[in-house]
Amino acid sequence: MTLLIDFIVIALLIVGIWQFREPLRAKHGNLTAALALFLAIILVLYRHGIVDIGTVVLALTVGAIAGIALARAVSMIQVPAMVAFQHGAGGIAAFLVSLVELSRATPALSLVSEISGVLGLAIGSLTFSGSMIASAKLAGKMVQSPQVVTRHNLLVIFNIAALVIVGTLSLLIPGGIAPYFFVLEIVLGICFGILLAIRIGGADMPVLISSLNATAGLAASLCGMVIENQLLIAFGATVAASGSILTYVMCKAMNRKIGKIIFPDYKPEQTIAKTTAITVQPPKAETVPTDTTDLFPRAVAAIRTAGKIIIVPGYGMALAKAQQEVATLAEDLTAMGKDVKYAIHPVAGRMPGHMNVLLAEAGIDYDMLVEMDVINPDFHLTDLVIVVGACDVVNPAAIEVEGTPISGMPILMAHEAKKVICCNFDRLPGYSGVDNPLYGQENTIFLEGDAKETIQLLQQSLVEETPAQTPLPASHTTSKAVAALAAARSVVIIPGYGMALAKAQFKLVELAALLEQRGASVKYAIHPVAGRMPGHMNVLLAEADVDYENLLEMEDANQLFGETDVAIVIGACDVVNPAAIESEGTPISGMPILHAQDARQVIVCNFDTNPGYSGVPNQLYNNRKAILLLGDARETTLNLFEKLKEITV
């Protein structure tokens, strides 16, 4: 009966993992696997006669609360680092359990259990240290490029030999001395994990993560052998097998052998410089123009004329949190009758399936995601490729240049398309350190800057009927706005319903406080009908602890605008629309407004340039004094605050 119950629980775990094969079922797979693990915990506690149920419940509660809090706090961009951290937690648990069991005086362990325990010490400790290094790299707490110490390969070989020798001796020496050897084995394992992980970086990180997944499972399985628990053996073996398969898939995707990743035959620091010298071609003026006012209309025109479009997402999209904007752009393109697909490189991002998760989060139909092997033959027939924050996975140097960290790695053949638009932050190499010749191709339009802002402007330009007045990328206007704020001595803030929708009032108050610290006078101009109820703005600003004396009624504020250096509009439209006093026959004609246009400079932090609820286009947007910062008002305000903080008084 015991064996049958164990088989049922193990089968439940396998069913859960099986559901991971399809994204739509993955959530249920997680819940199923979690249920299997919970049942396993109950069975283990029951069979070992643990009677102090209070301690068990307390431990489970503390662990569950910590896990839930961590999961809720972690953003999608931090998931790879969290996954690596969890592997490390599995490793430390494995070698601690092995240490306790091996150090027990009674009952005596069998030889198989002792060998398993020593292996658990070594593999668990190397998994712990390797995962912590990987997590620190992915979280940006360490240098992410491969790091090589003097005689690295020799140190790795000595470390492996020491692990074998110390592990063997710990099995042969008397019990009183053995614990010292067990501890030494753990120290050697930690050193090996560090030596292994620091030399892996960049494009190889998904391989490192998947291999640590495998070693964490193996360590758990060895623990199961030490304590003679078949459930832990089976669960650990399942994780080890899936991690090993994933590692194989990642290695195949990069055309690498795991041995070459552990013992690379290149020296990253020196080779990068050499590679740069080989691959970097001096940019030609006609192929790498720097005038973005020319590039942006060209990009919009390329999109309008394209029939078949492939979008290539990369880690930069995750960093810019641009997946939702990419999804919106794709929806608009599809509505315009264009054939749109997403090309997914297996190692794009920082863990296997990273792009799939991000795009699924944005609600993109899974049928639009196409794997590399399937979509590569289509690139030369494609009118346009839009690269969003991807570099190494579309770098032709991988197939054209020998001796680089990515040489031989299969890539998405974006360079074969008729046109390519690159929405990357800059032209610097990716994590491999290898320059990307794609950026300099004649058929490439490089839109440098924040990917989210770039995609938003592309999408906005496409839906406008008259794209001739295409705005500059927001990175330019943001700098202009920050410069205006830095020089301002009087600022009037105009909040609107958009501020409430974006929940931007708290960040707005922080920005106002910073302006006051810099010596500026800051007031808030309140229109009587701003918001969705009388006094709406007053309530929101009071919630954010704005002094009531700083709130000005419309009549008082309008007398100030002529002497105001900067007026900041936050999510307001109709109440600052000059059309109300300049145009006849509109729904707002004759309505008193806040005269923001009288200020020396106007910064508009609205979501878009669409009309407000009145449906009347806002003439303020076309005022030469206006600086448009489009997008989420809360993020815009935070961005202004961060950049203004960097400017010394």
Side-chain angles (χ1 to χ4, degrees), residues 19 22 50 110 155 186 268 357 362 372 543 546 554 597 644:
Q19 294 179 86
E22 298 180 24
I50 295 176
S110 66
L155 289 174
I186 292 173
V357 172
M372 177 176 65
E543 181 190 20
V546 174
M554 181 171 62
Q597 73 276 13
L644 181 62

Side-chain angles (χ1 to χ4, degrees), residues 235-252:
F235 279 30
T238 304
V239 174
S242 59
S244 300
I245 293 171
L246 198 55
T247 302
Y248 169 76
V249 172
M250 292 295 104
C251 288
K252 183 181 178 184

Side-chain angles (χ1 to χ4, degrees), residues 70 96 177 213 602:
L70 180 64
L96 286 177
I177 306 176
N213 182 18
V602 183

Side-chain angles (χ1 to χ4, degrees), residues 296 300 303 320-330 332 386 388 423 447 449-464 470-475 477-478 606-610 628-633 635-636 639:
F296 209 78
V300 175
I303 296 175
K321 299 178 181 178
Q323 58 269 27
Q324 192 61 58
E325 283 68 24
V326 171
T328 302
L329 175 63
D332 290 343
I386 303 176
V388 185
C423 305
L447 300 180
D450 181 88
K452 183 175 182 178
E453 295 176 353
T454 305
I455 295 297
Q456 282 177 339
L457 288 174
L458 285 174
Q459 189 266 341
Q460 176 190 339
S461 299
L462 286 173
V463 299
E464 287 178 350
T470 304
L472 289 173
S475 55
T477 52
T478 299
N606 285 1
F607 187 77
D608 54 35
T609 56
N610 292 332
L628 302 186
L629 301 179
L630 304 181
D632 181 82
E635 292 184 8
T636 303
N639 193 28

Side-chain angles (χ1 to χ4, degrees), residues 272-303:
I272 288 170
K274 182 179 179 181
T275 302
T276 301
I278 293 172
T279 58
V280 171
Q281 300 296 327
K284 300 177 181 179
E286 66 274 19
T287 59
V288 189
T290 56
D291 186 359
T292 55
T293 57
D294 175 49
L295 290 176
F296 209 78
R298 282 176 54 200
V300 175
I303 296 175

Side-chain angles (χ1 to χ4, degrees), residues 87-284:
H87 291 161
I92 194 172
F95 78 69
L96 286 177
V97 170
S98 296
L99 179 62
V100 170
E101 293 299 317
L102 288 170
S103 301
R104 285 179 187 273
T106 57
L109 297 174
S110 66
L111 180 59
V112 172
S113 294
E114 287 186 351
I115 294 174
S116 300
V118 172
L119 290 174
L121 293 177
I123 297 174
S125 55
L126 76 87
T127 301
F128 164 68
S129 58
S131 297
M132 291 301 110
I133 295 290
S135 181
K137 284 191 171 189
L138 292 168
K141 304 297 182 184
M142 286 183 62
V143 176
Q144 299 189 5
S145 59
Q147 302 297 307
V148 181
V149 299
T150 305
R151 301 184 186 280
H152 202 123
N153 281 347
L154 194 59
L155 289 174
V156 172
I157 293 172
F158 280 158
N159 205 146
I160 294 174
L163 277 169
V164 174
I165 293 171
V166 172
T168 303
L169 290 176
S170 67
L171 297 171
L172 301 176
I173 59 176
I177 306 176
Y180 298 103
F181 280 77
F182 296 150
V183 173
L184 181 58
E185 184 78 353
I186 292 173
V187 172
L188 289 169
I190 290 174
C191 292
F192 183 72
I194 295 172
L195 288 171
L196 175 72
I198 62 172
R199 193 161 55 172
I200 299 176
D204 289 333
M205 286 305 289
V207 179
L208 176 62
I209 298 300
S210 57
S211 60
L212 289 171
N213 182 18
T215 58
L218 180 58
S221 186
L222 290 167
C223 270
M225 295 182 70
V226 176
I227 63 176
E228 298 180 351
N229 185 291
Q230 53 209 22
L231 276 175
L232 187 53
I233 295 172
F235 279 30
T238 304
V239 174
S242 59
S244 300
I245 293 171
L246 198 55
T247 302
Y248 169 76
V249 172
M250 292 295 104
C251 288
K252 183 181 178 184
M254 298 183 65
N255 195 25
R256 300 286 187 88
K257 294 181 179 177
I258 187 68
K260 287 293 184 183
I261 294 176
I262 298 175
F263 296 99
D265 53 5
Y266 64 90
K267 297 178 180 179
E269 294 297 332
Q270 293 80 1
T271 307
I272 288 170
K274 182 179 179 181
T275 302
T276 301
I278 293 172
T279 58
V280 171
Q281 300 296 327
K284 300 177 181 179

